[in-house]
């Protein structure tokens, strides 16, 4: 259990003359986070789905047990909750009532990994109960909930951290380094295209993510990662968004549909058939506990209630006058991305996961399985590539060693910074707080509104955040 000490933190600082004692990140956005000394920090988790029990559960018990102690787990599904506790290896009580958990355990840290549309409820309550909050992306799913979160954070005097692991990928960090150091001069426009394969992309339409009232569409749930990268790379706030989107492949568009994959009589004619029975973790976590809340993990992706877009195109204008063309495709034969930064003095091109640009073709089904299980990826090459073309000059070919583990090693770097080395230098501002989380989802929210209305949407109309041509540190 939590170790008590006779000397208070204030007394410790006064007697030792130490000015600071462990802020989360080197920057005011989350500078007061984790400010206890000489004792383990207590942590509670709400949402025991696969992301919660793996990345924010088992990862923490295996790698940070000397620093953290789980004091509570919460979920509306008691079966999933009990499985999650055993999977995480946490010796703590479990709760189906969130308020009861917070009142009884009083955690230093609350981790939120619920359905996206409920993030705001638990973030706001967590702050009101006096906890610091770590939330999975997206921060929330609409502008009203976003404003409520920002107001609650300000009122509570606590801080929110958003788990943007993509920033910590060495490949993306190198791009940030090049942009910061004006490798091709002033950036004027960006071409950014993300491809989800027929395994990963399709999986969103089987799950709760296929319903906009749960995930806010993939423009919020998935693209928030990509919009955050753009905001971070360009170091500026978005000011206006125009977008197009359609649901023309999944959902109601197929001529046949079944119940769920494992009982479907049409599996022999469906290229998207997925056999959940081959995944013991999913069978034990989801299938065995359907009786409690009715959640079906292998739902038919052709079901008519799917109401999100499966192709999306977004134009973003930034306060520093950079223009971005972005697209998201959900039924590509491969998983990856392409990006190009156009500058006054040249162009930077980079890509990830494009199979014919690798030494060997990546098995897309295995890639998806590793992604969903949070396992380490066995990639087809041990480096990523960047090409820089100088105007009136030559080109430079840069190879970036690939990190091990999820998201090119970004997962471990993120959690090490939060839990193990909070005072480590952060020269590229990898660490993300509520402002970062807000602007990443506001682009997606604005894009959704633009699709619905046919109009360009101004970001300033959504919340009271002040827009900056250069983002505050």
């Amino acid at each position: 259990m939590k170790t008590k000490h006779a000397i208070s933190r204030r007394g410790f600082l006064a007697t030792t003359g130490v000015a600071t004692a462990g802020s989360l990140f080197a920057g005011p956005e989350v500078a007061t986070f984790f400010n206890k000394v000489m004792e383990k920090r207590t942590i509670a988790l709400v949402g025991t789905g696969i992301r919660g029990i793996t990345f924010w559960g088992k990862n923490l018990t295996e790698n940070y047990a000397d620093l953290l102690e789980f004091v509570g787990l919460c979920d509306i599904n008691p079966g999933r909750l009990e499985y999650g506790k055993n999977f995480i290896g946490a010796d703590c009580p479990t709760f189906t009532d969130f308020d009861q958990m917070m009142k009884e355990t009083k955690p230093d840290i609350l981790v939120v990994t619920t359905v996206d549309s409920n993030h705001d409820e638990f973030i706001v309550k967590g702050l009101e109960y006096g906890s610091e909050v770590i939330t999975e992306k997206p921060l929330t799913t609409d502008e009203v909930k976003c404003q409520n979160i920002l107001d609650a954070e300000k009122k509570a005097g606590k801080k929110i951290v958003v788990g943007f692991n993509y920033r910590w990928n060495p490949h993306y960090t190198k791009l940030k380094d090049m942009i910061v150091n004006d490798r091709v001069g002033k950036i004027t426009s960006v071409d950014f295209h993300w491809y989800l394969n027929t395994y990963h992309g399709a999986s969103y339409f089987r799950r709760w993510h296929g319903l906009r009232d749960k995930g806010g569409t993939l423009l919020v749930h998935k693209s928030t990662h990509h919009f955050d990268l753009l905001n971070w790379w360009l170091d500026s706030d978005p000011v206006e968004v125009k977008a197009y989107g359609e649901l023309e492949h999944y959902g109601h568009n197929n001529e046949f549909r079944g119940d769920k994959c494992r009982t479907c009589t049409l599996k022999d004619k469906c290229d998207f058939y997925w056999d959940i029975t081959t995944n013991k973790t999913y069978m034990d976590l989801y299938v065995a506990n359907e009786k409690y809340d009715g959640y079906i993990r292998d739902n038919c992706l052709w079901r008519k209630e799917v109401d999100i877009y499966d192709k999306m195109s977004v134009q973003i204008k930034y306060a520093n006058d950079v223009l971005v063309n972005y697209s998201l495709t959900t039924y590509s034969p491969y998983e990856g991305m392409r990006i190009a930064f156009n500058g006054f003095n040249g162009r930077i091109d980079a890509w990830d996961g494009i199979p014919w640009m690798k030494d060997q073709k990546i098995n897309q089904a295995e890639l998806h399985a590793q992604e969903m299980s949070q396992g380490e990826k066995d990639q087809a090459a041990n480096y990523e590539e960047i090409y820089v073309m100088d105007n009136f000059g030559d080109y430079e070919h840069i190879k970036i060693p690939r990190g091990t583990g999820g998201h090119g090693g970004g997962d471990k770097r993120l959690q090490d910074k939060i839990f193990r080395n909070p005072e480590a230098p952060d020269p590229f501002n990898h660490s993300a707080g509520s402002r970062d989380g807000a602007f990443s989802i506001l682009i997606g929210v604005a894009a959704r509104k633009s699709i619905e209305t046919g109009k360009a949407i101004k970001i300033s109309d959504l919340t009271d955040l002040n827009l900056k041509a250069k983002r505050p540190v």
Side-chain angles (χ1 to χ4, degrees):
M1 293 297 294
K2 184 175 179 180
T3 306
K4 298 293 183 182
H5 298 273
I7 187 170
S8 69
R9 178 177 182 272
R10 181 173 296 178
F12 173 79
L13 297 181
T15 56
T16 61
V18 178
T20 59
S23 60
L24 175 61
F25 299 124
E29 178 68 34
V30 280
T32 63
F33 202 60
F34 295 169
N35 55 8
K36 293 192 175 184
V37 295
M38 300 178 66
E39 61 184 31
K40 287 186 178 182
R41 289 133 185 162
T42 58
I43 189 167
L45 171 75
V46 56
T48 55
I50 193 67
R51 182 66 172 177
I53 68 173
T54 55
F55 188 71
W56 295 108
K58 194 170 185 178
N59 269 15
L60 302 192
T61 57
E62 289 185 346
N63 299 318
Y64 307 98
D66 57 323
L67 302 171
L68 302 170
E69 177 188 0
F70 274 98
V71 293
L73 302 174
C74 181
D75 199 289
I76 60 172
N77 185 310
R80 221 164 38 229
L81 187 58
E82 193 59 33
Y83 177 84
K85 176 181 177 178
N86 294 329
F87 185 92
I88 292 169
D91 183 17
C92 67
T94 58
F95 303 84
T96 55
D97 185 309
F98 178 76
D99 291 287
Q100 181 187 3
M101 179 180 75
M102 297 302 289
K103 290 174 182 176
E104 292 186 9
T105 66
K106 298 178 174 61
D108 298 324
I109 311 154
L110 172 68
V111 179
V112 178
T113 57
T114 62
V115 170
D116 298 345
S117 57
N118 293 335
H119 282 187
D120 65 307
E121 174 188 354
F122 299 113
I123 291 171
V124 170
K125 282 187 176 182
L127 292 169
E128 291 173 346
Y129 278 113
S131 296
E132 307 287 356
V133 177
I134 302 173
T135 182
E136 256 301 326
K137 61 83 192 165
L139 180 68
T140 186
T141 54
D142 67 39
E143 71 276 22
V144 175
K145 294 177 179 180
C146 181
Q147 187 67 62
N148 290 340
I149 290 171
L150 296 174
D151 292 343
E153 181 185 37
K154 183 177 180 180
K155 181 179 179 180
K158 298 290 182 178
K159 291 298 177 182
I160 299 167
V161 172
V162 184
F164 283 129
N165 44 8
Y166 277 23
R167 290 185 178 200
W168 295 86
N169 182 312
H171 191 204
Y172 303 154
T173 298
K174 180 60 178 177
L175 290 171
K176 174 70 171 178
D177 181 21
M178 297 171 75
I179 294 167
V180 166
N181 288 287
D182 293 325
R183 176 60 184 82
V184 292
K186 173 181 167 56
I187 301 298
T188 58
S189 66
V190 182
D191 307 309
F192 192 15
H193 307 289
W194 202 281
Y195 314 103
L196 296 172
N197 66 23
T198 49
Y199 298 93
H200 190 189
S203 75
Y204 289 113
F205 296 83
R206 292 191 186 95
R207 298 180 275 159
W208 54 261
H209 307 76
L211 307 178
R212 71 168 55 202
D213 68 339
K214 297 291 193 295
T217 78
L218 292 180
L219 285 165
V220 174
H221 175 80
K222 182 62 180 177
S223 296
T224 187
H225 261 319
H226 314 149
F227 297 147
D228 176 68
L229 284 174
L230 286 166
N231 297 343
W232 176 61
W233 280 324
L234 299 175
D235 198 26
S236 185
D237 292 336
V239 297
E240 188 171 276
V241 173
K242 183 73 171 73
Y244 299 90
E246 298 284 350
L247 175 64
E248 64 176 17
H249 181 69
Y250 298 112
H252 65 272
N253 291 287
N254 199 42
E255 63 180 11
F256 63 83
R257 55 194 44 83
D259 177 21
K260 48 185 173 288
C261 279
R262 83 192 90 116
T263 59
C264 184
T265 59
L266 305 169
K267 63 183 68 174
D268 292 339
K269 62 184 293 188
C270 183
D271 291 333
F272 289 85
Y273 166 68
W274 176 58
D275 187 1
I276 194 174
T277 65
T278 63
N279 188 317
K280 187 177 186 307
T281 298
Y282 284 11
M283 290 294 289
D284 293 342
L285 178 62
Y286 293 114
V287 174
N289 298 304
E290 291 173 355
K291 58 189 176 185
Y292 295 108
D293 60 5
Y295 178 59
I296 308 298
R297 181 58 182 79
D298 62 334
N299 238 322
C300 181
L301 47 72
W302 310 120
R303 66 195 192 281
K304 292 184 178 180
E305 57 262 41
V306 169
D307 60 354
I308 65 171
Y309 313 113
D310 53 28
K311 74 170 184 181
M312 292 138 276
S313 178
V314 183
Q315 290 183 316
I316 311 163
K317 179 178 173 58
Y318 278 82
N320 63 358
D321 294 325
V322 174
L323 300 177
V324 173
N325 287 291
Y326 166 86
S327 70
L328 177 65
T329 303
T330 60
Y331 38 83
S332 172
Y334 58 82
E335 184 100 352
M337 71 89 180
R338 291 174 180 267
I339 192 164
F341 298 89
N342 301 298
F344 278 164
N345 302 329
R347 174 179 164 107
I348 301 170
D349 281 276
W351 57 88
D352 185 17
I354 310 300
W356 60 87
M357 293 179 173
K358 302 291 183 182
D359 292 338
Q360 57 184 335
K361 189 172 182 179
I362 300 172
N363 183 301
Q364 296 296 310
E366 291 180 6
L367 182 66
H368 168 58
Q370 292 161 353
E371 173 79 19
M372 297 308 294
S373 69
Q374 305 300 312
E376 296 210 355
K377 295 182 182 180
D378 180 17
Q379 296 284 16
N382 60 2
Y383 60 85
E384 297 290 358
E385 298 174 278
I386 300 172
Y387 273 90
V388 185
M389 300 287 292
D390 295 310
N391 292 347
F392 312 108
D394 207 345
Y395 72 90
E396 180 183 5
H397 181 199
I398 301 169
K399 292 185 177 182
I400 314 300
R402 182 189 298 277
T404 59
H407 299 95
D411 289 355
K412 187 176 189 306
R413 288 178 175 84
L414 168 69
Q415 291 185 334
D416 277 351
K417 185 65 168 67
I418 295 175
F419 301 114
R420 186 151 314 271
N421 303 306
E423 294 184 12
D426 189 13
F428 292 123
N429 297 319
H430 283 95
S431 308
S434 60
R435 193 177 193 278
D436 304 288
F439 277 111
S440 69
I441 69 115
L442 290 175
I443 297 176
V445 170
R448 193 177 66 214
K449 288 178 175 291
S450 178
I451 294 169
E452 293 167 351
T453 64
K455 300 176 181 179
I457 304 298
K458 292 187 180 299
I459 297 294
S460 60
D461 291 340
L462 302 179
T463 69
D464 65 6
L465 285 168
N466 293 321
L467 307 185
K468 305 289 186 181
K470 183 171 178 58
R471 305 177 83 203
V473 177

